[in-house]
Amino acid sequence: MAPAVIIVGAGGNLGPSMVRALLAHKGDFRRVAILAAPEKKGKFADFEAQGVELVLGDYKDSKPYNGFDVVISLAGNDIMKFQPQMIDAAVAAGVRHFYPSEFGVDISQTPFLSERYFRDKHVTRDHLRAKAKEVPELCFTYVIIGVFGETFALSPAFGVDREKKEFTFYGDPESERSFSSMVDSARYTVESILIPLPPGKQERSLRVPNGNWKVKDAIKILGEVQGLEYTCNIKPLNEARELQEKSRQSGDTGEELAFSLKALFGTPYATVPEPWDNSKFSFTPMTLQEMFMSFFEK
């Protein structure tokens, strides 16, 4: 029987791409749905008009998950810590495949096991493994993509200041990083639902970045696509760590996480380890230039 899929957190940055990827494969699924709070119903009217089912309710309650086989969590930092409750509710309703909100670097690497920024993701992974011991039919998939090109280009989180035409980077700009587009990451996720895990296996990691590019080349390509030239401010990696600790001591969690992310982007571990799994899928991902062009030329 074709699986029924529901998305939690579809209102975030990755949500529209994920819904469109599901719609492109709608014939492969029994149901395609978005779980939303009642007050956010209007936000998804366009997708509802295209045949996406809208389920209203609380993601921590089991009722909205009734009749679904697969949950894709796109939880942002603000609700990441509630994923264990989401998992319990979904599994109680019969869900047997869970995609936690990963969509970043490979946090299983030793330096990231105690990284503050990934604390809630590690708690979620531990909870999934414990739940899988209780429910042998439960499986879960991590989608590892590196850094979203859209976030790199449009958010100051990774050092790009479009107004000042400046790029601030903590680390070695000659080093490579893994970049991905939200569109391709969503396509990988949706196609992977149709690829069953091997018998007896409950945990799967899919490493599917679009590719690796040197940091200095990434900012050059971004500038070329935008028709401008960025001034690069290169700083030592330990400076970001010092600012992270200073923010922690002052109790500014937002700044602490911001500098934690900048420090993470400066390490070589922000590159997705090979081997990758791209060849298991039906399409060729965009290059970094195509990625930038796709959202600056809209």
Side-chain angles (χ1 to χ4, degrees), residues 88-110:
D88 288 346
V91 172
V95 168
R96 291 299 179 263
H97 195 167
F98 195 93
Y99 283 75
S101 186
E102 291 274 336
F103 307 102
V105 300
D106 186 354
I107 66 171
S108 67
Q109 298 173 95
T110 301

Side-chain angles (χ1 to χ4, degrees), residues 77-78 116-117 119 155-157 240 243-263:
N77 286 339
D78 54 336
R116 168 66 179 86
Y117 192 81
R119 181 185 64 192
S155 165
L243 291 168
Q244 176 187 345
E245 176 59 18
K246 183 178 179 180
S247 299
R248 185 193 68 79
Q249 292 179 1
S250 68
D252 191 333
T253 302
E255 281 294 299
E256 179 191 358
L257 290 175
F259 281 110
S260 173
L261 184 59
K262 292 179 191 299

